[in-house]
Amino acid sequence: MKRILIADDHEIVRSGLRAIVETRSNWIVSGEATNGEQAVTLALETRPDIVIVDYSMPIINGLEVSRRLRALHVQTEVLILTMHESEELLTEAILAGIRGFLFKSDARNHLISAVEALLDGRPYFTSVLLEKLLRDYQANKQNRADMLLTSREESVVQLIAEGHTNRSISAILNLSVKTVETHRASAMRKLRMSSTAELVRYAVRKRLVSP
């Protein structure tokens, strides 16, 4: 039996994903998580073969979930679900070592194929963004490297926008306060911002948090 963990903060989405997964007799849902931290905890407890996780999760996002699982040496593949056509997000997912990326709108028709690919050791990326990424990446590689926030910087920005203090963020991400301050300063420099309010507006615009 293949064990699959589902992580999404909306019950209706989790129910829909579970219904799709359970159409396969040799797949079982090992657990459901409503935020990123819970997803990591359940993955440690249940050791799933696949974690299906929404990118825009409370507390820590889908990329950070993947980073933590790798750091904890959890042998599982991560399939990121998103409802946003973000080329930058796909780039960050690839840089974070994630090998599965799917639009939520495609889940009904393509979730089975995506999970099967990951179980077979093959990557699966939604074709629309991947084609655009491959077309543009080489021409803009250096500019992207300079401008994109790292997944860690983005996690810090998300938590700032959620109202957490630097000390609280350091506890959530297992970083020193000084390191959090460094990531915060780096994000603000890259984004050419000078205030927390601007970071919050950026997080809302990037859909890291709900308005």
Side-chain angles (χ1 to χ4, degrees):
M1 296 294 288
K2 299 301 182 180
R3 302 169 64 81
I4 299 170
L5 174 65
I6 297 172
D8 194 289
D9 56 332
H10 295 97
E11 183 178 359
I12 190 170
V13 174
R14 295 195 308 275
S15 297
L17 295 174
R18 175 183 279 274
I20 295 171
V21 168
E22 290 180 342
T23 62
R24 300 299 298 268
S25 60
N26 61 332
W27 295 359
I28 61 170
V29 175
S30 63
E32 295 185 15
T34 60
N35 63 61
E37 277 195 337
Q38 187 182 29
V40 173
T41 299
L42 287 176
L44 288 170
E45 292 175 356
T46 67
R47 300 288 171 164
D49 297 283
I50 305 288
V51 176
I52 302 172
V53 57
D54 182 15
Y55 169 71
S56 302
M57 293 285 280
I59 305 181
I60 60 173
N61 63 37
L63 299 190
E64 184 62 25
V65 168
S66 179
R67 287 171 58 104
R68 288 201 183 183
L69 293 179
R70 289 202 312 279
L72 294 167
H73 305 293
V74 177
Q75 300 299 314
T76 187
E77 291 280 5
V78 175
L79 174 61
I80 292 287
L81 296 184
T82 181
M83 60 187 297
H84 310 299
E85 292 192 14
S86 169
E87 192 177 341
E88 290 80 10
L89 175 55
L90 178 56
T91 302
E92 279 296 291
I94 293 172
L95 293 175
I98 292 169
R99 291 160 23 97
F101 191 97
L102 183 66
F103 287 144
K104 281 188 174 181
S105 58
D106 292 337
R108 180 180 297 275
N109 295 321
H110 298 287
L111 184 69
I112 296 293
S113 296
V115 172
E116 285 180 336
L118 292 174
L119 289 172
D120 289 341
R122 295 179 286 111
Y124 190 98
F125 293 99
T126 187
S127 60
V128 175
L129 284 181
L130 187 58
E131 289 172 6
K132 182 173 177 57
L133 177 69
L134 293 174
R135 185 171 61 249
D136 297 344
Y137 185 75
Q138 287 299 324
N140 298 287
K141 182 167 62 176
Q142 185 57 52
N143 183 58
R144 291 175 191 277
D146 292 341
M147 294 302 296
L148 283 176
L149 299 187
T150 66
S151 57
R152 184 70 81 182
E153 289 165 352
E154 197 161 86
S155 294
V156 169
V157 170
Q158 176 184 339
L159 289 167
I160 290 170
E162 289 179 357
H164 293 276
T165 64
N166 287 349
R167 186 169 298 279
S168 173
I169 295 170
S170 73
I172 292 171
L173 297 181
N174 298 315
L175 301 171
S176 69
V177 173
K178 184 175 181 180
T179 300
V180 171
E181 291 171 346
T182 298
H183 286 311
R184 178 177 184 151
S186 177
M188 294 181 77
R189 175 181 56 78
K190 289 181 179 180
L191 298 171
R192 299 180 182 178
M193 295 177 178
S194 58
S195 70
T196 299
E198 288 179 301
L199 283 180
V200 172
R201 287 194 291 271
Y202 167 83
V204 171
R205 187 168 66 252
K206 292 284 289 185
R207 298 180 176 86
L208 300 177
V209 295
S210 300

